[in-house]
Amino acid sequence: MAFRKAVKGTLIGGGAVASAFGLSQLFEYRKNQAQLAYVEAQGELKVPFKDALPTREEQLSTLKNTEEFDVLVVGGGATGSGCALDAVTRNLKTALVERSDFSSGTSSRSTKLIHGGVRYLQKAIMKLDYEQYMMVKEALHERANLLDIAPHLSAPLPIMLPVYKWWQLPYYWAGIKMYDLVAGTYCLKSSYVLSKSKALELFPMLKKDKLVGAIVYYDGQHNDSRMNLAIALTAARHGAAIANYTEVVHLLKKADPETGKETVCGALCRDVVTGQEFDVRAKCVINATGPFTDSLRKMDNQKTAKICQPSAGVHIVIPGYYSPDNMGLLDPATSDGRVIFFLPWEKMTIAGTTDTPTEVTAHPIPMEEDINFILSEVRNYLSPDVEVRRGDVLAAWSGIRPLVTDPNSKDTQSICRNHVVNISDSGLITIAGGKWTTYRSMAEETLDVAVKAHNLSAGPSRTVGLMLEGGKDWTPTLYIRLVQDYGLENEVAQHLAATYGGRAFEVAKMARVTGKRWPIVGKRLVSEFPYIESEVQYAIKEYACTAIDVIARRTRLGFLNVQAADEGLPRIVEIMGKELQWSEQKKKEELEAAKQFLYMEMGYKARSEQLSKTTITSLTLGEVQRYKKRFYKFDKDSKGFITTLDVQQVLEKLGIQIDENALHEILSEVDLNKNGQVELDEFLQLMTAVQRGQISDSRLAILMKTAEEGLDLRGPVSVDRSGGGV
């Protein structure tokens, strides 16, 4: 009864709110319909590279040999790629350079949401802040557009906001309904209220105690690095010359013969792969370098003030069983006032984010305290029956959000809530700040400023409704054709369709025959993920230059499970080496660099520190004796350590066979001092960490326990990770 009263009470204010917004939404609808009509009236844009993309070498040749571009964009993140696409579709001669890989920075390390920002709307209403209101409104329009132009990479996601106090129900309901109303015609699906029983039915892991009910609203979710890449590749297909691993050494300038004033006219660039340097000249240079905004601004003018105030956001990935397949969770008020999302993503669960001031770096590292903070907040909302263990963290990463101050504002210390477009005295245009969701409108505004400031001959933006790479030919049932036509596994076919859209057939054609009855083609890189070997070959066509590009941004293996990525690396390097004609030394360097990336940036380091900090003091005397007994079943000579040979000898007696390389990897996970052997102290530390939940489902612990019990297994013993945390 109380639940019904609370809901009924919220309806009175809802009608008034709806009336107030009705007229503004009508004007907004007509404005956007007019914009879409303009795009349609112009007919189809020319797509010079509709069938095959230029190779990276061909792109570099275009950069070197073009006398002058209209626009040179520096930065290959979402905003930079968006600027390149906006420029080239206005028929401007466009170039883009990125010193690392496309989406290698912040754009691949987001919360994976396409959203307007519920918390921003709350602040806008509470503080009567019109700027924040307009920011949310713009983001909600862009959310709808992004879902339309890349349907294979994005989808609406219901997100539950659990309510534990009766008075909060009408308060949150009004806020979420306002979110729907601000979206207007772009509302994905209407939000709704759930009773306690229904909330627990949809999200059974939720904490039951004191739960009143829940509110469910909709936002979008996407594969961020693939979305970024789709934007860049779409620009390339329309004729933009884009090149990753091409850094700006310094900006080129020319002096006006009459006034002597210097203006930026391009950049001296270096191909990071070969070391070759060359000039790229352009009428306009756009700085879209995210957290590195000030570096390029300083190249232009050493005296210019810094505007970027970087903030680190850490996310973790835990097994998919922690959340329902299609329902996220929002914690609107954590213990320190931040917001935590808890979302299903790529059949795993992603949780984050933190918001901590940091230094700008190309290689941010997730800190253990941030990982534990997220885990602690997650525990507050999940049932006590669900043990949230540190060892279940499969991957963790930190992304640097480039918060900015407005250099044109009187208060230069105040953080700008939205993005900033700035023109320097020498004509360098900087776009900084903003959100992933609004990359397109930010790019449009930036090009509008560029066209006006540099007198470029171009019409209005044409990117609203412009389909991105793979989106045009995608359908929800496309994966069925992949199964039927090529003999792919159902899970693999669904993955290819959701990753490459209409281009999935190109990947399928490259897939190798498995030699099995089923699947006919498509050899997996690792057994528990649907990534196949032909994706590595196709990644090179998408300008992948390193093994890191493949595990982090062409596939998402490194972001989903660090151990799985580590396991798949040798084969990835082997395939890339054959395609790119790498020497044995180059292959070794690539393997080491990728392992270092996983160790430092994807959470392996934090995991190792967890294990190394563990002591045996929490083990009882009986437990120590039991684990010593297990250890000495393998260490027959009482050496105090075990090697792969020791483990193999025991397994052979049991009729168990494991590949030597796989066995080496299993021991390496526990070998803290990396001396090729697992010592007794290391084993006891491992068992302590397993007991504490700091490490879950250690393959060595499971293997030794199985061997000790003398199980008579036939065939290879399974050592796949069901958790395998970092």
Side-chain angles (χ1 to χ4, degrees):
M1 189 68 179
F3 177 81
R4 289 180 180 175
K5 284 182 178 179
V7 173
K8 185 178 179 181
T10 62
L11 296 176
I12 299 171
V17 170
S19 300
F21 277 88
L23 193 59
S24 67
Q25 295 301 336
L26 177 61
F27 286 129
E28 182 70 18
Y29 174 75
R30 287 181 174 176
K31 174 187 170 184
N32 285 289
Q33 286 301 108
Q35 191 171 10
L36 284 169
Y38 167 79
V39 173
E40 291 172 6
Q42 295 301 303
E44 285 195 15
L45 289 162
K46 292 180 181 179
V47 186
F49 303 106
K50 186 175 182 180
D51 297 322
L53 284 165
T55 63
R56 182 174 180 274
E57 289 68 29
E58 289 169 339
Q59 295 280 33
L60 285 168
S61 178
T62 302
L63 287 171
K64 294 172 188 175
N65 299 321
T66 300
E67 185 177 342
E68 186 180 48
F69 289 95
D70 292 317
V71 174
L72 168 61
V73 181
V74 183
T79 305
S81 298
C83 286
L85 180 57
D86 193 284
V88 76
T89 51
R90 298 191 195 207
N91 293 321
L92 292 170
K93 196 178 290 185
T94 305
L96 179 147
V97 293
E98 160 60 48
R99 74 173 182 179
S100 185
D101 187 27
F102 303 114
S103 197
S104 59
T106 308
S107 296
S108 64
R109 302 169 191 241
S110 72
T111 312
K112 323 304 179 193
L113 283 177
I114 310 170
H115 63 133
V118 173
R119 57 178 174 163
Y120 297 123
L121 183 60
Q122 180 191 27
K123 290 177 182 177
I125 295 170
M126 299 300 290
K127 297 181 180 180
L128 299 177
D129 190 328
Y130 183 72
E131 182 189 347
Q132 289 223 50
Y133 164 73
M134 291 307 297
M135 182 180 72
V136 174
K137 190 176 181 64
E138 177 187 55
L140 290 171
H141 167 243
E142 293 302 322
R143 177 188 70 177
N145 182 66
L146 197 48
L147 289 167
D148 285 341
I149 63 177
H152 58 305
L153 291 170
S154 59
L157 176 71
I159 300 176
M160 182 181 291
L161 199 163
V163 180
Y164 288 90
K165 295 178 181 177
W166 281 109
W167 68 266
Q168 290 179 335
L169 195 62
Y171 174 74
Y172 286 142
W173 183 89
I176 294 298
K177 273 302 168 190
M178 181 73 78
Y179 195 59
D180 290 350
L181 288 164
V182 172
T185 55
Y186 303 110
C187 182
L188 302 180
K189 292 183 181 179
S190 183
S191 58
Y192 54 90
V193 180
L194 292 173
S195 64
K196 176 179 179 178
S197 59
K198 191 65 178 176
L200 291 172
E201 182 183 327
L202 292 174
F203 208 120
M205 309 85 173
L206 207 56
K207 185 172 70 175
K208 304 173 186 178
D209 188 35
K210 296 182 181 179
L211 181 67
V212 171
I215 299 165
V216 175
Y217 73 98
Y218 287 81
D219 257 326
Q221 188 178 50
H222 69 155
N223 185 336
D224 54 3
S225 73
R226 291 295 317 183
M227 185 72 81
N228 191 158
L229 188 64
I231 300 165
L233 294 180
T234 305
R237 288 200 185 276
H238 282 83
I242 67 171
N244 55 350
Y245 294 99
T246 305
E247 66 179 346
V248 171
V249 180
H250 65 75
L251 296 173
L252 302 177
K253 292 186 177 182
K254 64 181 179 181
D256 187 296
E258 294 182 3
T259 64
K261 181 182 178 182
E262 286 193 328
T263 56
V264 174
C265 63
L268 172 65
C269 297
R270 179 190 293 123
D271 179 355
V272 176
V273 177
T274 64
Q276 185 181 10
E277 295 186 354
F278 54 92
D279 288 343
V280 178
R281 297 196 173 273
K283 296 173 184 174
C284 169
V285 177
I286 295 175
N287 173 14
T289 53
F292 300 94
T293 293
D294 289 324
S295 297
L296 204 66
R297 282 166 51 83
K298 291 284 185 182
M299 276 189 195
D300 177 34
N301 179 3
Q302 279 294 327
K303 296 179 180 179
T304 193
K306 290 185 177 182
I307 62 170
C308 186
Q309 298 193 19
S311 174
V314 172
H315 294 81
I316 64 172
V317 169
I318 51 183
Y321 53 70
Y322 274 104
S323 65
D325 292 338
N326 194 37
M327 179 70 76
L329 186 75
L330 167 64
D331 177 357
T334 62
S335 56
D336 66 352
R338 292 182 283 196
V339 172
I340 289 284
F341 286 99
F342 189 68
L343 311 165
W345 182 66
E346 298 287 321
K347 298 187 177 179
M348 295 294 178
T349 301
I350 183 173
T353 179
T354 58
D355 187 6
T356 312
T358 186
E359 295 297 318
V360 175
T361 172
H363 307 287
I365 299 170
M367 304 305 291
E368 186 61 28
E369 53 264 35
D370 290 322
I371 294 172
N372 286 322
F373 167 78
I374 295 170
L375 288 172
S376 176
E377 294 302 325
V378 168
R379 290 187 188 103
N380 291 337
Y381 274 85
L382 296 188
S383 168
D385 298 337
V386 180
E387 184 184 358
V388 182
R389 303 176 296 183
R390 170 62 181 83
D392 284 333
V393 178
L394 305 175
W397 68 85
S398 176
I400 299 178
R401 185 183 176 202
L403 302 175
V404 291
T405 55
D406 187 350
N408 301 319
S409 172
K410 292 180 181 178
D411 181 8
T412 56
Q413 297 302 309
S414 177
I415 293 289
C416 181
R417 302 180 185 95
N418 211 329
H419 60 271
V420 169
V421 180
N422 174 254
I423 309 174
S424 73
D425 292 338
S426 62
L428 175 68
I429 295 178
T430 295
I431 169 67
K435 293 155 54 71
W436 217 122
T437 307
T438 57
Y439 84 89
R440 192 213 62 81
S441 59
M442 289 163 61
E444 178 182 345
E445 182 182 336
T446 304
L447 264 296
D448 285 343
V449 170
V451 167
K452 184 177 180 181
H454 293 275
N455 297 314
L456 303 177
S457 178
S461 174
R462 300 183 65 184
T463 52
V464 171
L466 180 67
M467 299 301 287
L468 297 183
E469 175 86 350
K472 187 176 181 181
D473 299 319
W474 177 86
T475 66
T477 56
L478 183 144
Y479 75 95
I480 297 174
R481 285 178 54 200
L482 290 170
V483 175
Q484 294 174 336
D485 294 354
Y486 295 94
L488 289 161
E489 289 177 81
N490 188 58
E491 185 186 9
V492 170
Q494 288 180 325
H495 153 67
L496 293 182
T499 303
Y500 304 95
R503 300 281 174 184
F505 294 99
E506 297 177 29
V507 184
K509 286 175 186 175
M510 300 168 73
R512 291 176 57 196
V513 174
T514 63
K516 301 177 183 178
R517 183 184 63 81
W518 190 263
I520 298 171
V521 300
K523 293 188 72 175
R524 294 191 180 210
L525 289 168
V526 288
S527 60
E528 67 268 46
F529 287 92
Y531 301 113
I532 58 176
E533 292 182 353
S534 62
E535 290 184 77
V536 181
Q537 295 169 280
Y538 194 75
I540 295 170
K541 293 180 180 292
E542 296 180 322
Y543 307 124
C545 297
T546 70
I548 297 172
D549 297 344
V550 174
I551 60 172
R553 293 172 286 274
R554 302 311 183 280
T555 73
R556 306 313 307 274
L557 198 50
F559 279 78
L560 293 170
N561 190 314
V562 172
Q563 288 189 22
D566 189 60
E567 182 183 310
L569 269 175
R571 182 58 182 150
I572 290 169
V573 170
E574 184 182 340
I575 295 169
M576 293 190 78
K578 184 178 179 181
E579 294 289 324
L580 298 172
Q581 299 180 331
W582 286 345
S583 65
E584 288 302 315
Q585 178 61 29
K586 174 64 174 175
K587 289 180 187 177
K588 184 178 178 182
E589 290 171 0
E590 280 293 322
L591 191 61
E592 288 304 312
K595 285 180 177 289
Q596 181 73 359
F597 167 78
L598 293 174
Y599 180 76
M600 297 299 293
E601 297 182 49
M602 289 292 115
Y604 234 159
K605 183 175 186 287
R607 185 259 187 193
S608 298
E609 288 175 351
Q610 272 288 301
L611 185 55
S612 62
K613 288 175 183 176
T614 303
T615 63
I616 63 172
T617 53
S618 62
L619 294 174
T620 65
L621 183 61
E623 287 169 338
V624 171
Q625 293 302 321
R626 185 169 81 249
Y627 294 139
K628 278 186 176 180
K629 181 182 176 184
R630 183 178 301 171
F631 183 84
Y632 285 121
K633 284 186 179 294
F634 291 80
D635 180 20
K636 294 290 186 182
D637 301 326
S638 299
K639 305 182 297 294
F641 62 86
I642 58 174
T643 63
T644 54
L645 184 62
D646 294 322
V647 178
Q648 273 184 328
Q649 288 174 346
V650 174
L651 296 180
E652 283 173 4
K653 290 180 182 178
L654 296 170
I656 299 172
Q657 292 183 343
I658 294 181
D659 178 73
E660 186 176 347
N661 290 331
L663 196 57
H664 177 75
E665 287 179 4
I666 292 169
L667 264 69
S668 182
E669 292 171 8
V670 185
D671 180 14
L672 298 175
N673 52 17
K674 301 302 175 187
N675 60 358
Q677 57 198 31
V678 175
E679 294 155 5
L680 176 60
D681 285 349
E682 289 175 325
F683 179 67
L684 292 175
Q685 283 178 291
L686 168 67
M687 299 315 298
T688 303
V690 169
Q691 278 198 352
R692 289 178 178 176
Q694 293 169 324
I695 292 176
S696 65
D697 299 333
S698 162
R699 293 190 284 178
L700 181 64
I702 293 171
L703 191 64
M704 292 179 72
K705 184 174 185 290
T706 302
E708 184 188 41
E709 293 170 351
L711 294 175
D712 186 16
L713 298 176
R714 296 182 179 180
V717 63
S718 173
V719 291
D720 288 344
R721 299 159 300 279
S722 60
V726 299

